[in-house]
Amino acid sequence: MAAASSLPKPLRSLLKRLLGRWVAVRHLEPDPTTLALNPQAITLYVLPRPALSDALLLECLCRRHDLPPATGRYRVAAQRLPAMLALPRPQRRHRRHALHDAIDLVAEHHDLEIQLIPVSIFWGRAPGKRFGMWRLLAADSWPLTGRLRRALSVLVNGRDVEVQFGAPLHLRDLLDDRGTALAERKAARLLRVHFRRVRTRVLGPDLSHRRTLIQGLVASPSVRQAMAEQADIEGRPQARLARRARRYGHEIASNMTYPVLRFLDGVLRRLWNRLYDGVDVRGLERVKVLAGDHTLVYVPCHRSHIDYLLLSYVLYRDGLMPPHIAAGRNLDMPLIGPLLRRGGAFFLRRSFRGNSLYAAVFTEYLHRLLAAGHPLEFFMEGGRSRSGRLLTPRPGMLAMTLRSFHRLAADDDRQRLAFVPVYIGYERILEGSSYQRELRGAGKRKESPLGLLRVLARLRQPFGRVAVNIGEPLLLAPFLDASVPAWRSGEATSRAPWISESLPRLGTELAQRINAAAALNPVNLVALVLLATPYHAIEESLMARQLALLAALQRRCPGGDHASLPEGEPTHWIDHVIGLGMIRRRRHPLGDILTATPEQAELLAWYRNNVLHLFASAGLVAFAFRHEAHHDLTSLQECLGPPWPILARELFLPGDSLHRTLPALLDALTRAELLNADAQGWRRADALEASEQLRLLGRLMQPSLERGYLLLSLLLEVPTGSHDRDGIIERSQQMAERLAMLSGRNAPEFFDRRLFARLIDSLEAEGWIVQREGRLYYATALPEAAQRTRALFDPALRHRLQLVTRD
């Protein structure tokens, strides 16, 4: 850092004061107090390249955060070590570097400790580009920068600076019997790898010009082959088809630009502050560990249009490169589409069927994004969930990602790709009323700029908090090695056996990991309790006790490995939900009562379904004690065994989770005094309050069990093979709608056609029914399993369901 040290002291002080007044560090990671520095060691700061602006800013930061000084020199024996140095360049190894002196001193003096702190400073967050005006202004693109560009960057990007401190590197740990020269090379290599990983994580890989990228797509072998095949079919010249392929490329490709990213960061920061009380992010450290050397594919649940913006904002804010986002072509509308495209969105049609050329262009574009290492984001559910449940993963984007990874791994078996499951949970969503209209049968409204204006008009309403929980990342190569080892030697065509075998497993595994990171909040907790009451009314004191019970169950026997609970107490949660206008409090001399109007109850069902899976096993166990007051472990496993695999598939839970957690769950219910343990097993508590709480807990699973009961009754009332798939789904939906009307439920999601379709799929997956020539045939084990499941229902409830199924 000769440039900084050679400046006259008055000039350096003046520049530091100017820099301190102008520069704003937007993101500093990690907190300097967590660096775990050795106070007895000499601390040397290492920058990736010599830059006066970086050196002066680092000096200011060290003084501001009470870190060891980054100025001056340490005198050790006859040597003087600079407190700040730049990473030695490989082409200048013949020159003696301060790092060499430091290692020599550590080798000579056994009581001397020297620690290196790598520091990365980014002036702006421009993705690397080799073109355009921002190459001049955004200094932290991949190429090194000159003094003029650095000065311009400080002026332009001084309010958008990010600083990343690395973990201390202790030089003594690098020394061994092979000498100091090897230790120096090892230290330089470790520092270079660290700086490269940090730059990749923050800036992403180099971006090509959009026009160049599209020309490359059209010239690729796969697209040229598709053009040749299309030319033979249509009898058109290939030049005309090449123009069509270029149009497809322009229709698809994103055009991520730094000015728009920076603009969106400012706009979205104001929007979230206006719209929400806060954004809670958990688990992002799991992504940062992988971001430097893995291609990341984010797979969030899809609940709202806000999902597109929220995840990119969170990643950008916390020092990660925003992903390229697969968006529906319906969002490529005037004003909105160009802005999304420059923010990283690329657009795809809802179906590729019948257009092989478009499919080839899109597949090649996706492959090039992944081959370059760009982070990617897509919603594997295909669309937003109108019921609040996680939808069945669709194979399209997952299959294209698998095929692209196979191509990359064939060239380099060290390729690393990780899926990052993300749960996004809202206390109140913008689209609530439109979802309810669509569940009642209304058509989906087409997105338009006018619809955006209608949304903006509601920004003054309270929307509470929003949670972004990162689940456990899935490393693709180890997953494929364990589930379908033949993938390495197989082909990557759409009909390859390993593709068709791995897709359902991959989709289910990712869905389970999303659900395992669900966020409980006051709204969905209150919805779980209130909707379990017959008339959507409950005493406030009982609500508080039941909320405390759900929180205790989640702490003692978590429904998800990375699930989260809200802060505060149940009484605060109730007040918060009332403040959001989701429920009402009715004052009464004998105790306040909480109620929900039919419209509120219908909307609360959406929030309940977000997290219902977290209490599926607890609800099922509680339901088992509704009819039978006493159970031992064997009888519980016998009666819960048949329905659990179906419920687990419906709610995307591991199939063995009930068996693994049942003893701990029974212990948690005993601690909560809802069950009493004795030598023979467990007995339902006699206390009135405990009995009521257990009943409310059991009613969480009652709608799912009733749907299964209706479907099985239809299947088994006639000889096997009498029903076709669509017919029994239609009939089951009608019976569920009839049951909802007779029982006073105002819940269109209860008779959602997709739930019965998923039930049929689950029965097929379990081998209880098979489909031949369009007819459904049930196995001999199904009547026995149905009989054991019916034993869960008390006679009164069983009688009511039989009345509904009667013609």
Side-chain angles (χ1 to χ4, degrees):
M1 306 306 299
S5 59
S6 62
L7 284 177
K9 191 173 181 179
L11 179 58
R12 189 168 67 239
S13 299
L14 175 62
L15 289 175
K16 278 199 291 188
R17 283 199 298 271
L18 292 175
L19 208 65
R21 290 179 178 273
W22 172 243
V23 172
V25 177
R26 189 187 61 82
H27 184 69
L28 177 64
E29 185 180 331
D31 187 333
T33 60
T34 66
L35 283 176
L37 300 180
N38 181 359
Q40 308 302 321
I42 293 176
T43 301
L44 306 182
Y45 297 94
V46 185
L47 295 171
R49 58 179 179 265
L52 177 61
S53 55
D54 289 358
L56 295 177
L57 178 59
L58 180 56
E59 291 177 18
C60 296
L61 290 174
C62 289
R63 186 174 63 253
R64 187 181 307 162
H65 294 281
D66 198 24
L67 291 171
T71 56
R73 293 176 178 269
Y74 294 97
R75 184 179 295 277
V76 182
Q79 296 284 351
R80 297 181 66 195
L81 293 177
M84 188 190 313
L85 53 108
L87 182 68
R89 299 185 183 180
Q91 64 269 28
R92 297 184 180 179
R93 287 178 181 171
H94 61 281
R95 296 186 181 182
R96 190 173 181 86
H97 190 270
L99 182 60
H100 182 87
D101 296 336
I103 292 176
D104 281 348
L105 286 171
V106 171
E108 293 171 5
H109 302 274
H110 299 291
D111 58 341
L112 179 65
E113 294 290 342
I114 296 179
Q115 57 191 354
L116 305 181
I117 308 298
V119 184
S120 303
I121 300 178
F122 301 95
W123 298 81
R125 294 279 304 282
K129 285 193 176 184
R130 298 191 178 97
F131 51 87
M133 182 63 180
W134 281 95
R135 187 175 190 270
L136 176 66
L137 298 181
D140 280 312
S141 56
W142 278 103
L144 295 181
T145 57
R147 294 180 181 178
L148 176 60
R149 285 177 57 198
R150 172 65 66 169
L152 287 172
S153 180
V154 171
L155 290 174
V156 173
N157 301 313
R159 315 302 292 177
D160 188 28
V161 179
E162 179 168 328
V163 180
Q164 300 263 350
F165 285 98
L169 177 63
H170 298 276
L171 291 183
R172 188 164 298 281
D173 296 340
L174 305 180
L175 288 172
D176 54 28
D177 297 336
R178 291 174 291 180
T180 58
L182 182 63
E184 182 185 359
R185 290 197 297 271
K186 190 187 300 183
R189 184 175 67 250
L190 289 173
L191 289 168
R192 279 195 297 271
V193 169
H194 168 79
F195 286 127
R196 184 174 64 249
R197 291 189 63 185
V198 171
R199 292 182 70 81
T200 302
R201 187 177 76 191
V202 174
L203 301 181
D206 214 4
L207 289 177
S208 300
H209 193 286
R210 186 166 181 264
R211 188 184 304 111
T212 305
L213 174 62
I214 293 171
Q215 289 173 351
L217 292 177
V218 177
S220 67
S222 59
V223 174
R224 292 176 66 85
Q225 180 181 350
M227 286 192 296
E229 294 173 355
Q230 199 72 18
D232 291 340
I233 295 173
E234 297 183 6
R236 299 178 185 273
Q238 287 205 23
R240 185 169 180 177
L241 292 172
R243 290 195 295 272
R244 185 190 301 176
R246 276 192 292 273
R247 286 199 305 271
Y248 290 155
H250 283 283
E251 175 188 315
I252 293 166
S254 69
N255 189 24
M256 185 180 284
T257 58
Y258 175 60
V260 172
L261 288 179
R262 190 165 171 181
F263 167 76
L264 286 175
D265 175 56
V267 169
L268 293 177
R269 189 186 310 117
R270 292 177 177 85
L271 175 63
W272 305 142
N273 291 336
R274 183 71 174 269
L275 191 60
Y276 299 114
D277 296 334
V279 179
D280 302 317
V281 183
R282 301 177 183 89
L284 206 56
E285 65 279 356
R286 301 187 191 97
V287 180
K288 293 182 177 180
V289 169
L290 301 173
D293 53 7
H294 284 73
T295 300
L296 300 180
V297 179
Y298 297 92
V299 280
C301 61
H302 199 11
R303 305 281 163 78
S304 169
H305 276 316
I306 296 295
D307 300 340
Y308 290 101
L309 306 173
L310 184 61
L311 182 57
S312 292
Y313 166 78
V314 164
L315 296 173
Y316 186 88
R317 183 194 69 180
D318 285 273
L320 289 165
M321 185 61 192
H324 290 255
I325 308 167
R329 192 185 174 194
N330 58 316
L331 293 178
D332 191 12
M333 64 185 95
L335 300 178
I336 307 302
L339 188 64
L340 292 177
R341 195 184 293 276
R342 286 168 175 79
F346 61 96
F347 298 96
L348 71 157
R349 299 180 180 182
R350 190 162 294 276
S351 174
F352 298 178
R353 186 171 300 172
N355 194 337
S356 59
L357 181 56
Y358 178 87
V361 173
F362 186 89
T363 301
E364 183 65 23
Y365 175 75
L366 186 72
H367 175 71
R368 293 191 174 217
L369 287 182
L370 293 173
H374 292 291
L376 190 68
E377 175 189 341
F378 60 81
F379 301 99
M380 61 181 186
E381 298 168 88
R384 290 168 294 155
S385 173
R386 269 62 176 176
S387 66
R389 299 170 181 269
L390 197 64
L391 303 180
T392 303
R394 301 180 70 175
M397 289 292 293
L398 287 175
M400 284 186 279
T401 305
L402 283 181
R403 290 197 290 271
S404 177
F405 179 71
H406 184 275
R407 287 174 60 184
L408 295 173
D411 298 330
D412 182 1
D413 60 2
R414 295 172 297 176
Q415 286 291 329
R416 296 179 175 182
L417 186 146
F419 284 99
V420 181
V422 184
Y423 177 92
I424 303 177
Y426 301 89
E427 290 186 346
R428 189 176 175 190
I429 55 168
L430 292 167
E431 301 97 330
S433 57
S434 64
Y435 287 174
Q436 297 311 306
R437 285 196 304 270
E438 291 172 31
L439 279 174
R440 295 191 204 103
K444 179 178 177 289
R445 287 181 178 175
K446 185 178 179 181
E447 284 80 5
S448 67
L450 183 60
L452 176 63
L453 293 177
R454 286 196 296 266
V455 169
L456 293 177
R458 299 201 298 270
L459 293 186
R460 294 184 180 274
Q461 301 176 12
F463 285 89
R465 303 185 70 85
V466 60
V468 180
N469 286 4
I470 308 297
E472 188 65 34
L474 185 146
L475 306 183
L476 184 54
F479 173 82
L480 293 176
D481 288 337
S483 57
V484 281
W487 76 277
R488 291 188 180 273
S489 57
E491 296 181 351
T493 61
S494 57
R495 296 182 180 179
W498 73 267
I499 289 276
S500 56
E501 184 180 350
S502 62
L503 270 178
R505 297 181 185 180
L506 178 61
T508 299
E509 180 65 26
L510 290 173
Q512 289 176 359
R513 296 192 184 203
I514 291 173
N515 269 351
L520 288 164
N521 60 49
V523 174
N524 54 44
L525 281 167
V526 166
L528 284 166
V529 178
L530 192 61
L531 296 184
T533 62
Y535 303 104
H536 305 143
I538 187 173
E539 294 174 332
E540 186 167 350
S541 58
L542 178 57
M543 169 68 83
R545 290 197 302 275
Q546 195 70 2
L547 291 175
L549 170 66
L550 295 180
L553 288 175
Q554 178 59 29
R555 292 188 186 100
R556 292 172 182 165
C557 192
D561 293 336
H562 302 295
S564 60
L565 278 165
E567 297 179 355
E569 299 298 325
T571 53
H572 301 147
W573 302 342
I574 294 170
D575 292 336
H576 182 66
V577 178
I578 293 173
L580 291 175
M582 309 294 282
I583 61 173
R584 298 177 179 181
R585 175 188 280 127
R586 292 183 177 273
R587 301 292 183 182
H588 194 277
L590 300 181
D592 294 346
I593 297 175
L594 303 175
T595 65
T597 65
E599 293 76 18
Q600 289 173 327
E602 191 175 336
L603 185 57
L604 283 173
W606 189 92
Y607 298 95
R608 175 200 61 192
N609 292 342
N610 288 178
V611 294
L612 183 62
H613 62 279
L614 295 179
F615 300 99
S617 54
L620 190 59
V621 170
F623 192 84
F625 282 92
R626 171 178 175 147
H627 178 38
E628 293 289 339
H630 185 275
H631 281 286
D632 58 23
L633 192 59
T634 302
S635 67
L636 266 178
Q637 290 173 339
E638 183 177 346
C639 68
L640 300 183
W644 178 252
I646 309 302
L647 286 174
R649 288 181 181 276
E650 178 185 330
L651 300 172
F652 292 108
L653 294 167
D656 63 342
S657 56
L658 179 66
H659 176 75
R660 287 187 290 105
T661 61
L662 189 55
L665 184 56
L666 290 166
D667 179 66
L669 292 173
T670 303
R671 288 174 178 267
E673 299 182 350
L674 272 61
L675 298 178
N676 294 324
D678 55 34
Q680 287 73 40
W682 292 266
R683 181 174 297 279
R684 186 174 61 214
D686 295 328
L688 185 60
E689 290 183 356
S691 179
E692 180 66 10
Q693 286 190 266
L694 191 66
R695 186 185 66 83
L696 289 174
L697 186 61
R699 283 177 63 90
L700 292 178
M701 286 295 101
Q702 185 171 328
S704 296
L705 292 171
E706 287 179 352
R707 277 192 297 268
Y709 187 102
L710 295 176
L711 179 63
L712 291 179
S713 297
L714 269 182
L715 271 173
L716 299 175
E717 72 179 359
V718 293
T720 182
S722 300
H723 289 290
D724 61 73
R725 178 185 173 87
D726 289 339
I728 197 167
I729 290 175
E730 177 82 17
R731 181 66 172 153
S732 300
Q733 183 187 23
Q734 292 173 353
M735 289 197 306
E737 186 174 6
R738 180 181 177 87
L739 176 61
M741 288 188 290
L742 291 175
S743 58
R745 293 178 184 168
N746 186 21
E749 63 90 21
F750 176 69
F751 46 88
D752 187 355
R753 181 184 180 88
R754 285 171 294 190
L755 292 178
F756 288 101
R758 190 183 294 182
L759 272 174
I760 295 291
D761 293 338
S762 298
L763 291 173
E764 284 190 86
E766 290 298 315
W768 288 348
I769 61 173
V770 293
Q771 192 170 179
R772 293 196 301 265
E773 299 178 354
R775 314 301 289 180
L776 296 178
Y777 296 83
Y778 53 81
T780 55
L782 184 62
E784 179 187 349
Q787 187 62 35
R788 289 162 59 190
T789 302
R790 286 192 185 107
L792 288 170
F793 293 83
D794 60 75
L797 181 56
R798 202 157 54 226
H799 178 68
R800 187 181 70 177
L801 294 172
Q802 288 170 351
L803 287 176
V804 173
T805 58
R806 185 179 301 166
D807 286 333

